[in-house]
Amino acid sequence: MNLSPSQFLGIPKNFSAHGGQVDHMIDVVHWFMIALFVGWTIFFFYCIFRFWHKNNPKASYEGVKSHLSSHLEVGVIIVEAVLLLGFAFPLWAERVDSWKAVQNLNPNRVRVVGWQFGWTYHYPGADNKFGRIDPNLISGTNELGIDYTDPNALDDFTSPILKLPVDQPVVLNITTKDVIHNYCIVPMRIQQDAIPGREIPMWFTPVKTLETYVVCAQLCGEGHGNMVGSMEVIPKDQYDSFFKTQSESALKAHSPKVATPEAPKG
């Protein structure tokens, strides 16, 4: 029987390869906080009865002579240090060190662009190369400013829904067009700040098919609470079909139009 405080409190199930480690650390922290809550509650009621005014009608100004509370505080600090050095730092180090390994796995890549108050996804197309971005080109029909004069951009396409294949590593390049946002996928146990002028990669491997929401976890304005996006993890064959169809349609729409020669007169 798996006694998980985080699951009892309603955390969504994990759907990523690395999420088990995150859940383990969250559970350890929860158990530690439960122990603190129980311990300090017992101490609180002990003090209420031990120093009840009827039993101690005369106030004592000497203070507590025992150093038990000091020892308890030192113990709490030691446990917190163990949590930080024994769980959080190694997990962070593994995520950072795995960046080179992830790049060698030929991951699926998507640019995630935040804006007040939504998300747009930019796929690189069949050539797996993102086209050049120019903010001056942003318009009603080109919300990301993709420069379609760049040959690498011709098969690029955008989507309001993030679609990814299951059991395939993915790298999301997180950025924003306006203020700071935070791209958070709770079932994947991952999130990343979206900072204007920067593209910051985050990577994970979905291990189950899923339809879920992504949210902004950084207060970004009056519409922050409604900044919710959609994400689908689908079988690889369905993803390949989606990707091929969208890429071919984009290439057809953005390729330079070749003028048809006029028929000779006479």
Side-chain angles (χ1 to χ4, degrees):
M1 182 178 180
N2 182 23
L3 297 177
S4 172
S6 57
Q7 290 184 12
F8 176 77
L9 293 172
I11 190 172
K13 292 183 179 179
N14 167 54
F15 284 81
S16 69
H18 75 278
Q21 296 172 284
V22 177
D23 285 354
H24 178 63
M25 184 178 69
I26 293 175
D27 282 340
V28 171
V29 172
H30 273 94
W31 282 119
F32 177 55
M33 297 307 297
I34 290 171
L36 283 179
F37 172 76
V38 172
W40 286 117
T41 300
I42 293 174
F43 180 72
F44 173 71
F45 283 107
Y46 166 79
C47 291
I48 289 177
F49 289 102
R50 173 67 177 79
F51 302 104
W52 197 20
H53 69 93
K54 289 185 178 181
N55 297 330
N56 300 273
K58 186 177 179 180
S60 172
Y61 298 97
E62 294 180 1
V64 178
K65 296 180 180 180
S66 172
H67 296 287
L68 177 61
S69 62
S70 298
H71 297 328
L72 289 174
E73 291 174 2
V74 171
V76 169
I77 293 174
I78 292 174
V79 173
E80 290 176 346
V82 170
L83 288 174
L84 186 63
L85 300 176
F87 290 90
F89 280 3
L91 178 58
W92 174 254
E94 181 180 340
R95 295 292 297 163
V96 173
D97 293 342
S98 65
W99 171 235
K100 292 183 179 180
V102 169
Q103 290 178 299
N104 294 331
L105 295 176
N106 191 28
N108 296 281
R109 296 178 181 271
V110 185
R111 289 182 70 240
V112 179
V113 183
W115 45 272
Q116 293 178 310
F117 296 94
W119 305 98
T120 301
Y121 303 100
H122 175 192
Y123 289 80
D127 62 0
N128 204 30
K129 295 180 180 179
F130 289 106
R132 185 168 49 247
I133 300 296
D134 184 352
N136 295 317
L137 298 177
I138 293 178
S139 65
T141 57
N142 187 359
E143 58 180 327
L144 300 185
I146 302 174
D147 184 359
Y148 292 109
T149 64
D150 178 7
N152 293 330
L154 296 179
D155 59 355
D156 288 13
F157 63 92
T158 62
S159 172
I161 300 175
L162 176 63
K163 292 191 177 186
L164 299 173
V166 68
D167 293 325
Q168 299 289 313
V170 58
V171 174
L172 303 182
N173 291 342
I174 313 299
T175 187
T176 171
K177 296 197 297 182
D178 39 48
V179 301
I180 294 176
H181 301 282
N182 180 285
Y183 191 73
C184 179
I185 315 175
V186 177
M188 297 297 163
R189 304 297 191 263
I190 198 165
Q191 65 182 53
Q192 173 60 57
D193 281 344
I195 301 175
R198 295 187 60 187
E199 286 195 10
I200 306 175
M202 76 178 194
W203 59 98
F204 57 93
T205 300
V207 294
K208 300 176 184 177
T209 57
L210 170 71
E211 289 187 20
T212 188
Y213 296 105
V214 299
V215 297
C216 178
Q218 173 68 47
L219 186 61
C220 58
E222 63 181 9
H224 165 71
N226 296 321
M227 191 169 172
V228 180
S230 297
M231 172 184 175
E232 296 180 9
V233 178
I234 56 181
K236 189 176 185 305
D237 57 343
Q238 295 182 21
Y239 175 80
D240 290 342
S241 176
F242 156 78
F243 191 88
K244 180 180 179 182
T245 300
Q246 295 295 322
S247 181
E248 290 177 350
S249 297
L251 182 62
K252 182 178 180 180
H254 302 139
S255 294
K257 301 297 187 294
V258 179
T260 303
E262 294 183 4
K265 298 180 180 179

